[in-house]
Amino acid sequence: MDSSTETEAKFDAAPDWELPALADLVARDIPATQLVADYWDTHDRRLDDWGVTLRRRDADGGARTEWTIKLPLRGSADGVQRRQELTIDTSSTTPPAELRTLLTAMARGAALEPVARILTDRRRRRVGNDLWTDAVEITDDRVTSRVAARTGPAFRQIEVELLADEAHD
């Protein structure tokens, strides 16, 4: 199981929004990716009540499949989220036992089940300067969704994620 801390801010974006010029910064595009993510919770959304997400995500037609739990951390403020991510690379169609065990107290005996499917066309750009060339990743996600077997919201979201912890010093 891999563990990392995620620090990011998310913003809604209009369909025609364009990233402004990034003067004096080093920027490089990352190849576009298509993601399919199934979010799991209990029938009455007990994980969501705790601010926790459990997700199974396939990238580029199943070339990579992983299960991830995101746990909120202290220090989130001003629209910036800090979360602990625990990830297992596996093609399992049900949550791995290691992750289910971590959610036992929050689920309180209720079964975990798929509650939403998110389809994402993702474009990314890594940005930095001469000292930290990959300090920040700017992600442009165009998302469609299905919730409880019905068409859910579609939206565009920009994420700005801190990649290098020392970049904020």
Side-chain angles (χ1 to χ4, degrees), residues 39-43 45-47 54 67 69 94-97 99-104 106-115:
Y39 286 81
W40 289 57
D41 204 335
T42 63
H43 71 284
R45 308 298 189 264
R46 293 176 185 185
L47 300 182
L54 171 62
W67 281 91
I69 291 177
T94 58
L99 298 183
R100 286 194 321 267
T101 299
L102 293 171
L103 300 171
T104 300
M106 289 172 258
R108 299 183 321 272
L112 296 170
E113 58 188 45
V115 295

Side-chain angles (χ1 to χ4, degrees), residues 8-164:
E8 71 180 4
K10 297 181 181 188
F11 308 92
D12 293 331
D16 60 347
W17 181 83
E18 292 187 30
L19 182 65
L22 303 170
D24 298 324
L25 294 174
V26 176
R28 68 181 178 93
D29 291 328
I30 306 296
T33 307
Q34 286 73 45
L35 305 169
V36 177
D38 293 314
Y39 286 81
W40 289 57
D41 204 335
T42 63
H43 71 284
D44 56 357
R45 308 298 189 264
R46 293 176 185 185
L47 300 182
D48 188 53
D49 288 346
W50 286 92
V52 172
T53 58
L54 171 62
R55 160 189 88 202
R56 179 184 190 268
R57 183 163 70 186
D58 292 330
D60 295 322
R64 179 166 184 214
T65 301
E66 63 188 18
W67 281 91
T68 302
I69 291 177
K70 293 188 179 193
L71 303 163
L73 294 174
R74 290 183 184 209
S76 297
D78 298 327
V80 175
Q81 294 179 325
R82 291 189 68 244
R83 297 186 285 190
Q84 187 70 35
E85 287 189 353
L86 304 169
T87 301
I88 297 176
D89 290 333
T90 177
S91 60
S92 173
T93 57
T94 58
E98 302 96 316
L99 298 183
R100 286 194 321 267
T101 299
L102 293 171
L103 300 171
T104 300
M106 289 172 258
R108 299 183 321 272
L112 296 170
E113 58 188 45
V115 295
R117 173 166 276 195
I118 306 293
L119 307 171
T120 304
D121 287 323
R122 173 167 285 178
R123 284 158 181 60
R124 300 178 298 158
R125 176 174 284 172
R126 297 230 170 142
V127 178
N129 58 25
D130 293 336
L131 188 54
W132 294 290
T133 57
D134 285 344
V136 173
E137 184 169 276
I138 301 171
T139 303
D140 183 351
D141 287 338
R142 293 172 190 260
V143 178
T144 58
S145 64
R146 293 198 58 76
V147 179
R150 292 188 301 257
T151 299
F155 55 93
R156 183 174 180 203
Q157 187 172 67
I158 306 300
E159 295 179 7
V160 180
E161 182 174 354
L162 183 65
L163 296 177

